[in-house]
Amino acid sequence: MKLRSILLGASAFALLSLGAGAAKADGELFFYNWSNYFPPELFDKFEKETGIKVTLDVYDSNETMLAKLQAGASGYDIVVASDYMVDVMIKEKLATEFDAKSLENFKNVAKPHDTMKYDPDRKYSVTYLWGTTGFTYDSDVAKEKLDDSWKEFFEPRPEFQGKIGALNDEVEMYAAAAYYAGVDKCTEDPKEAQKILDILQKQKPYVAVYSSEGTIDRMAAKEVAMHMQWNGASHRTKESLPSAVFVYPREGLSFWSDHFIIPKGSPHFENAKTFINWMMQPENAAAASNYAGYMNAIKGSDAYLDESLKTDPAVNMPEKYADRLVPGKNCSEKARDLRNRVWTKLKS
């Protein structure tokens, strides 16, 4: 998923126009995305080259985005959905078919991103960026190098107690606790869900904040000494806090990908297709990676990537960690209900 370092306005639903002032007025595009997950200057470039003015609205989780669409919001032309949410949107008929493979620049999409589990023929989606969810800690605070285990996050050492930043994300936190507990993150067994809740409740006194936004700034300002983070956020944290270390827990960590989708009721369907096709150009995809700190799915983009991305293990994962990655999974309704009850109890 996924950087959350800037709060855009007093309301999550306030629209922020990022188009250039000298618009050609050839059209509009309404874009619904995670906060701080797309370079503003790329909106300007897109408008200059196409005449299409982009207006951005932001959310803090897939579930927030889904709830708004389920409630009838129909003014968006593109939304960014994580892998499991693509499945949900297709099944609930909230995604519009546009046949991504018919777009001119789809030829630039690298394998395995030319297909995906929930949209094998790429009729509804195109990969934007992909990454992992682990945790970052300040090595200057640690008395010794931490173990590569979720135990360091859920059962923190004394120097990190009360200085933990957790994501305010039901799916990510539940999954991480499930990996640590050694149970399926989509379990339907109440006893296994209780194990997950026990881990989360035991950790709670040591958590300073549950927030998916501002993770980079929070770490950089040393408001917390450890934070659950998406790997791109960890990369950007390291730019301001060189002592930041990203951990690939051996119990497993989520491997995710985010995708462009044209939602049901898009008022500017052709403009949405134009934007998606434009984002499959290597230079544009690389600009998104350089800004957000995550890898893209476009062949040839590496020629435009910042060297810091290529050399940071948080982004360019060492091969030895490959077997630790756990792909996204759309859990059953029963499992989702169980997860939600655990999360609600934790936050009450």
Side-chain angles (χ1 to χ4, degrees):
M1 78 359 169
K2 310 194 161 170
L3 301 180
R4 316 290 178 260
S5 67
I6 298 177
L7 290 172
L8 296 178
S11 168
F13 299 140
L15 294 179
L16 176 63
S17 174
L18 294 175
K24 298 177 183 177
D26 290 341
E28 291 184 296
L29 181 78
F30 293 95
F31 188 34
Y32 197 25
N33 192 14
W34 302 86
S35 64
N36 201 26
Y37 197 38
F38 196 92
E41 62 272 14
L42 207 54
F43 286 137
D44 295 338
K45 181 184 179 187
F46 176 71
E47 182 176 349
K48 184 176 181 181
E49 293 183 7
T50 67
I52 299 170
K53 182 183 178 67
V54 180
T55 301
L56 175 69
D57 193 6
V58 300
Y59 52 85
D60 62 358
S61 74
N62 281 283
E63 286 65 37
T64 298
M65 178 268 291
L66 177 65
K68 192 169 184 183
L69 296 181
Q70 289 173 327
S74 59
Y76 299 115
D77 298 301
I78 292 176
V79 299
V80 178
S82 297
D83 32 30
Y84 73 94
M85 189 55 65
V86 172
D87 186 38
V88 174
M89 291 184 66
I90 292 173
K91 288 179 176 176
E92 295 197 11
K93 302 187 184 306
L94 293 172
T96 302
E97 183 174 333
F98 65 94
D99 189 13
K101 289 185 176 180
S102 70
L103 299 179
E104 179 184 358
N105 289 328
F106 191 84
K107 64 181 183 292
N108 296 330
V109 177
K111 293 181 181 299
H113 302 285
D114 56 338
T115 184
M116 73 168 296
K117 178 179 179 180
Y118 300 120
D119 185 18
D121 297 323
R122 285 299 192 183
K123 293 181 179 180
Y124 298 91
S125 65
V126 168
T127 298
Y128 172 43
L129 298 173
W130 60 273
T132 58
T133 310
F135 66 90
T136 305
Y137 72 92
D138 185 348
S139 60
D140 284 347
V141 174
K143 295 180 179 178
E144 60 182 351
K145 183 179 178 181
L146 301 194
D147 192 13
D148 55 345
S149 169
W150 281 114
K151 180 176 182 178
E152 302 285 9
F153 178 70
F154 287 116
E155 301 179 37
R157 303 182 189 210
E159 60 265 35
F160 289 98
Q161 293 177 6
K163 301 176 182 177
I164 302 291
L167 293 181
N168 190 30
D169 190 307
E170 172 186 321
V171 174
E172 295 283 25
M173 286 288 288
Y174 188 90
Y179 302 149
Y180 184 43
V183 303
D184 186 349
K185 63 182 175 183
C186 287
T187 183
E188 296 182 353
D189 185 345
K191 292 182 180 179
E192 292 186 337
Q194 184 62 49
K195 290 181 181 179
I196 294 171
L197 177 59
D198 289 345
I199 290 171
L200 293 170
Q201 287 184 322
K202 184 177 180 180
Q203 181 204 33
K204 188 174 182 179
Y206 306 132
V207 175
V209 62
Y210 290 92
S211 177
S212 299
E213 297 180 306
T215 73
I216 300 167
D217 295 340
R218 197 171 294 117
M219 282 291 293
K222 300 200 173 192
E223 295 174 14
V224 296
M226 181 185 292
H227 215 308
M228 187 182 208
Q229 281 190 315
W230 295 282
N231 63 317
S234 184
H235 169 73
R236 294 184 64 186
T237 296
K238 194 176 182 67
E239 293 175 346
S240 302
L241 185 68
S243 54
V245 177
F246 184 73
V247 177
Y248 291 90
R250 60 175 175 269
E251 298 90 352
L253 70 163
S254 295
F255 160 67
W256 50 263
S257 52
D258 286 336
H259 308 264
F260 292 127
I261 288 184
I262 301 177
K264 177 184 177 182
S266 162
H268 309 100
F269 180 74
E270 292 301 322
N271 289 351
K273 289 169 61 178
T274 296
F275 179 86
I276 293 172
N277 187 59
W278 188 83
M279 281 302 301
M280 289 188 285
Q281 295 177 18
E283 186 175 355
N284 298 330
S289 288
N290 291 334
Y291 174 81
Y294 300 96
M295 298 304 292
N296 63 73
I298 304 302
K299 292 181 289 188
S301 64
D302 54 339
Y304 303 97
L305 290 177
D306 292 343
E307 193 63 29
S308 62
L309 278 181
K310 299 178 184 179
T311 58
D312 186 355
V315 180
N316 190 10
M317 184 189 70
E319 188 176 347
K320 64 181 179 180
Y321 297 137
D323 63 353
R324 301 182 179 187
L325 301 183
V326 183
K329 185 178 180 181
N330 186 20
C331 304
S332 68
E333 183 177 354
K334 183 177 180 180
R336 292 197 303 270
D337 179 65
L338 201 55
R339 182 183 67 203
N340 181 255
R341 281 189 279 140
V342 165
W343 186 250
T344 300
K345 190 167 185 177
L346 173 70
K347 299 299 292 294
S348 62

